[in-house]
């Protein structure tokens, strides 16, 4: 029997989700706040977690951040807010899906089954480098949870370099891979975009390095 953790400060909502989940064959546990939820995850290996974003004290984002240190269980976020920021923030922290309130319990169960069927973590391909997150499908960059405004070419340049972490590319190679093989522009276009990209990256500009006499590379060393 698969185990489901329901995290929400609304007792009635937890009961509703639990009723439908048990009918669908899940063994359910409940938590009314973030601290209790993290404690549950420390003690039990859940197959799925349904997590409310707007909770008093430790909110859903902070709870999810702590959960991801100890568990890879798929997480579906619930929120009454409609802002795109919530969705992007959730994905950047490792959420697998996102359901706005109010919702149909039947739809929620269908989403739970869909996430479990695909093995989780397929909602949005992402690369994370500490507080820098690059979301491929939505072409979004988050720095410490805040969306950064990039031009299409700035995003493509950052994405290409980050995807090829540690690899040095000269200007011609970057023009061919980011601008296209038929691009006949000035090599200085690369320098201009690198400079602009660094200005938008704040403290993370140091990840885009100049290799003197050669070109540029993205350099991120995972902390152990």
């Amino acid at each position: 029997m698969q185990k489901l953790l329901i995290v929400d400060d609304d007792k009635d909502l937890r009961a509703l989700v639990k009723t439908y989940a048990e009918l669908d064959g899940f063994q359910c546990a409940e938590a009314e706040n973030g601290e209790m939820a993290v404690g549950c995850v420390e003690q039990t290996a859940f197959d799925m977690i349904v997590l409310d974003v707007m909770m008093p004290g430790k909110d859903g984002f902070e709870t999810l951040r702590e959960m991801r240190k100890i568990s890879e269980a798929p997480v579906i976020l619930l929120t009454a807010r409609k802002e795109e920021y919530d969705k992007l923030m959730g994905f950047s922290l490792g959420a697998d899906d996102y359901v706005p309130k109010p919702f149909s319990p039947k739809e929620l169960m269908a989403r739970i089954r869909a996430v479990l069927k695909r093995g989780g973590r397929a909602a949005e391909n992402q690369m994370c480098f500490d507080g820098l997150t690059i979301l491929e499908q939505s072409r979004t960059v988050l720095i410490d949870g805040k969306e950064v405004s990039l031009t299409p070419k700035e995003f493509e340049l950052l994405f290409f370099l980050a995807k090829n972490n540690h690899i040095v590319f000269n200007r011609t190679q970057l023009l061919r891979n980011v601008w296209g093989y038929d691009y006949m522009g000035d090599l200085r276009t690369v320098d201009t975009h690198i400079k602009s990209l660094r200005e938008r990256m704040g403290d993370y500009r140091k990840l885009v390095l100049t290799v003197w006499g050669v070109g540029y590379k993205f350099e991120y060393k995972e902390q152990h």
Side-chain angles (χ1 to χ4, degrees):
M1 183 178 290
Q2 291 178 306
K3 297 178 180 178
L4 171 68
L5 175 62
I6 307 162
V7 187
D8 199 299
D9 59 315
D10 186 333
K11 181 175 66 175
D12 293 335
L13 187 144
R14 293 198 311 269
L16 177 64
V17 174
K18 181 179 179 181
T19 297
Y20 277 82
E22 288 180 340
L23 288 173
D24 213 17
F26 285 92
Q27 179 182 338
C28 297
E30 299 179 45
E32 64 182 23
N33 56 55
E35 289 186 3
M36 185 182 296
V38 173
C40 289
V41 172
E42 288 175 337
Q43 297 175 19
T44 304
F46 289 98
D47 299 287
M48 169 64 66
I49 300 169
V50 174
L51 174 63
D52 184 32
V53 171
M54 300 296 293
M55 295 186 293
K58 193 190 302 290
D59 68 13
F61 293 139
E62 188 178 353
T63 301
L64 177 55
R65 186 180 289 110
E66 293 191 21
M67 283 180 172
R68 279 291 170 248
K69 296 176 182 177
I70 55 178
S71 172
E72 288 298 314
V75 173
I76 293 181
L77 291 178
L78 305 176
T79 181
R81 302 193 310 189
K82 299 293 194 292
E83 286 90 342
E84 185 180 36
Y85 166 82
D86 279 6
K87 187 173 183 179
L88 296 175
M89 180 64 169
F91 285 147
S92 75
L93 293 173
D96 297 271
D97 204 352
Y98 170 100
V99 177
K101 293 180 178 180
F103 58 85
S104 159
K106 290 182 179 179
E107 179 189 355
L108 175 61
M109 295 312 304
R111 295 217 183 198
I112 288 173
R113 286 301 183 190
V115 169
L116 288 171
K117 185 175 181 180
R118 70 184 181 224
R121 209 58 57 83
E124 175 84 285
N125 289 338
Q126 58 181 289
M127 293 184 285
C128 297
F129 309 95
D130 295 331
L132 171 68
T133 303
I134 304 171
L135 302 171
E136 182 179 4
Q137 282 89 342
S138 58
R139 296 173 64 87
T140 301
V141 173
L142 301 174
I143 291 182
D144 297 329
K146 286 187 155 186
E147 185 174 349
V148 179
S149 177
L150 299 182
T151 67
K153 275 293 175 279
E154 287 168 352
F155 176 84
E156 291 164 18
L157 180 59
L158 176 60
F159 181 81
F160 177 77
L161 288 171
K163 186 173 64 173
N164 295 283
N165 190 22
H166 306 304
I167 300 176
V168 181
F169 295 93
N170 62 38
R171 291 167 179 80
T172 300
Q173 290 171 321
L174 289 172
L175 281 176
R176 287 176 178 171
N177 284 280
V178 178
W179 278 261
Y181 283 90
D182 57 349
Y183 184 79
M184 303 297 291
D186 193 323
L187 289 176
R188 288 176 295 183
T189 296
V190 175
D191 300 329
T192 300
H193 279 76
I194 289 287
K195 180 181 178 182
S196 176
L197 177 60
R198 283 172 171 160
E199 289 174 353
R200 298 173 191 270
M201 290 177 67
D203 291 340
Y204 293 94
R205 69 177 66 205
K206 61 180 180 285
L207 295 177
V208 179
L209 300 181
T210 299
V211 181
W212 298 108
V214 184
Y216 301 98
K217 70 173 178 176
F218 189 94
E219 184 72 23
Y220 173 78
K221 295 180 181 178
E222 191 169 352
Q223 302 297 318
H224 295 286

